[in-house]
């Protein structure tokens, strides 16, 4: 995979296994545990920080008024909680530096 980047979990596991000299089953277990840790950490007050990538956080949206674009009537949009991923400055700089 010299020119293409891995896009599926299986491809990512293969590449990481080759680069780290770990078995594919160990790499897959590490990825699964990292995902479980991130899911649990995102529920915490300050979210889950993955150094070099970004942060998973919960964002609480309040109830608000909106307008139905089809018939222009006023509607109530209920309060909800969403998960957001905030990309770190290090990741932004590393990715965007290649575009200039």
């Amino acid at each position: 995979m010299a020119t293409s980047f891995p896009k599926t979990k299986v491809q990512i596991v293969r590449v990481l296994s080759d680069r780290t000299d770990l078995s594919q089953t160990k790499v897959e277990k590490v990825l699964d545990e990292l995902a479980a840790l991130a899911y649990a950490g995102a529920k915490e007050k300050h979210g889950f920080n993955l150094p070099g990538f970004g942060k998973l956080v919960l964002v609480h949206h309040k109830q608000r008024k909106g307008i139905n674009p089809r018939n222009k009537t006023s509607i109530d949009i209920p309060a909800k909680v969403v998960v957001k991923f905030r990309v770190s400055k290090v990741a932004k700089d590393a990715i965007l530096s290649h575009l200039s």
Side-chain angles (χ1 to χ4, degrees), residues 7-77:
K7 293 177 176 59
T8 65
K9 182 179 179 182
V10 172
Q11 292 172 335
I12 292 169
V13 167
R14 283 185 192 144
V15 170
L16 289 176
S17 175
D18 291 343
R19 291 185 183 182
T20 60
D21 295 327
L22 293 173
S23 69
Q24 289 185 14
T25 54
K26 287 183 180 179
V27 171
E28 186 173 2
K29 182 155 176 68
V30 168
L31 286 177
D32 290 340
E33 289 300 318
L34 179 62
L37 188 64
Y39 301 155
K43 296 175 186 176
E44 296 294 320
K45 182 178 180 180
H46 298 292
F48 178 77
N49 186 25
L50 188 59
F53 288 102
K55 188 174 191 178
L56 273 175
V57 293
L58 290 179
V59 178
H60 301 272
H61 291 288
K62 295 179 182 177
Q63 181 179 355
R64 59 191 170 96
K65 293 281 187 184
I67 297 176
N68 183 339
R70 186 172 273 175
N71 57 16
K72 308 295 187 220
T73 58
S74 179
I75 59 172
D76 290 327
I77 300 171

